[in-house]
Amino acid sequence: MSDSAALVSFLEKWHARWPEWSVAEIFVAPARRDIAVAWFALLQEFDDVLNISGDPLPADAKLAWWSEELRGWSAQRSRHPLGRRLEPVRAPWASLADALPVLVAARDTPSGSDEAFAALAPFGAAVAAVEADVLGRAPDADAVVAQVLATRVADMGIAAVPTAFRQADDAASLRGWATEVLQRWPASRPAARERRVLATYARGRLDRLSRKGAPAPLPSRPVLLFTGWRAARGD
C-alpha cells in the first residue's frame, strides 16, 4: 500500500468513528480540514491503545512504537502515514511521546473522579501543547482529559467506570459516571474551531449516555448541523 493510500485509510477509519464530522466540516476552512482530521486520527490511535480488553502486550508494543515515532517527528523523520501530514508542524512531539506511558497506568480502574482525571492529566497537558501548534490554539487540558474519558466509557462500558460510581445496575453506573464527566468538562471554549466542533459532538454522545445508560443513536442531520454551527461560532 502506498503512503497516500495508507494515509487515506487512517483518515477514513477516523471518519467512520465520527460520522458527525461529515455534517460539520463545512464550518471548517477547507485548507484546515486535512490537518485537523490527521491530528484527531492520531489521537484516536492513542484512544485505541488506552481502551483495550484482554492481552495488553500488543497495545503496549504499539505505544512504544508511537513513542519512538513521535521523537522522530521532532527531528523531521517520520515513518507513519499520519506523519507525512503532521511531522512538518513544529510542535513538542517529544513531550507527547514522554506522556504516552500515562495511558498504560490509566487503564487501571480508578477509585473515583479525581483519580480518573489525575491519571490522564499529563497526557491532556501534552496533547494541549501540541494542539496549540497543530491547530493554532491550545484547548483546556482538563477538557482534553474529559473527552478521553468520554471516549473510554463509550468504548469500554462498565469497565471504565470508577469504583465509587459503580452500582448493582450497570446502566445506572454508566449514567452516574457519564454525568460526572460532563459536570467536570470545562464549559469554556478557548480551543480552535475544529476542537470545539468535535468536542461538542463528543459531549453530545456523553450526554445521551448519561440519560440512557447506553450508547444512543445520533440525532438527525439538521440537529447535528445546528449543533456544529453553534460550536463553530463559539456559542
Side-chain angles (χ1 to χ4, degrees):
M1 181 183 295
S2 68
D3 283 350
S4 59
L7 175 59
V8 168
S9 175
F10 276 98
L11 301 183
E12 287 180 345
K13 183 173 71 170
W14 184 84
H15 278 291
R17 298 256 189 112
W18 292 96
E20 301 98 314
W21 188 261
S22 66
V23 177
E25 69 176 358
I26 62 170
F27 303 121
V28 175
R32 291 175 59 90
R33 291 174 191 170
D34 282 353
I35 195 165
V37 173
W39 170 236
F40 295 145
L42 175 65
L43 296 181
Q44 179 175 282
E45 292 295 303
F46 301 146
D47 284 331
D48 289 347
V49 167
L50 172 63
N51 302 328
I52 60 161
S53 56
D55 183 6
L57 291 180
D60 291 350
K62 183 178 181 180
L63 197 65
W65 186 92
W66 270 117
S67 180
E68 181 182 351
E69 175 72 358
L70 291 174
R71 295 181 198 285
W73 292 7
S74 294
Q76 303 289 283
R77 296 192 305 270
S78 64
R79 294 170 294 174
H80 195 278
L82 290 173
R84 304 295 187 268
R85 187 65 184 89
L86 294 170
E87 173 218 88
V89 178
R90 295 290 186 172
W93 298 113
S95 295
L96 181 56
D98 290 340
L100 293 185
V102 164
L103 301 177
V104 176
R107 293 181 194 138
D108 295 337
T109 302
S111 58
S113 179
D114 288 344
E115 292 76 12
F117 274 81
L120 287 164
F123 178 72
V127 167
V130 172
E131 192 164 312
D133 291 313
V134 174
L135 298 183
R137 195 168 187 180
D140 186 294
D142 286 342
V144 172
V145 172
Q147 190 164 333
V148 172
L149 290 172
T151 299
R152 179 160 174 73
V153 73
D155 288 351
M156 302 296 291
I158 192 65
V161 177
T163 54
F165 290 84
R166 295 196 179 184
Q167 306 177 41
D169 178 52
D170 284 356
S173 302
L174 291 168
R175 287 196 300 269
W177 177 231
T179 299
E180 173 70 8
V181 175
L182 281 171
Q183 290 174 347
R184 293 192 57 155
W185 199 323
S188 61
R189 297 180 178 178
R193 173 177 289 190
E194 298 83 5
R195 168 66 72 170
R196 294 199 308 270
V197 171
L198 181 62
T200 293
Y201 286 140
R203 284 181 68 102
R205 289 185 179 190
L206 190 63
D207 179 65
R208 292 188 291 277
L209 180 62
S210 74
R211 289 183 278 112
K212 297 181 178 296
L218 294 178
S220 66
R221 185 179 180 87
V223 170
L224 290 174
L225 190 66
F226 180 67
T227 302
W229 172 73
R230 290 194 61 188
R233 280 170 46 97
D235 293 345

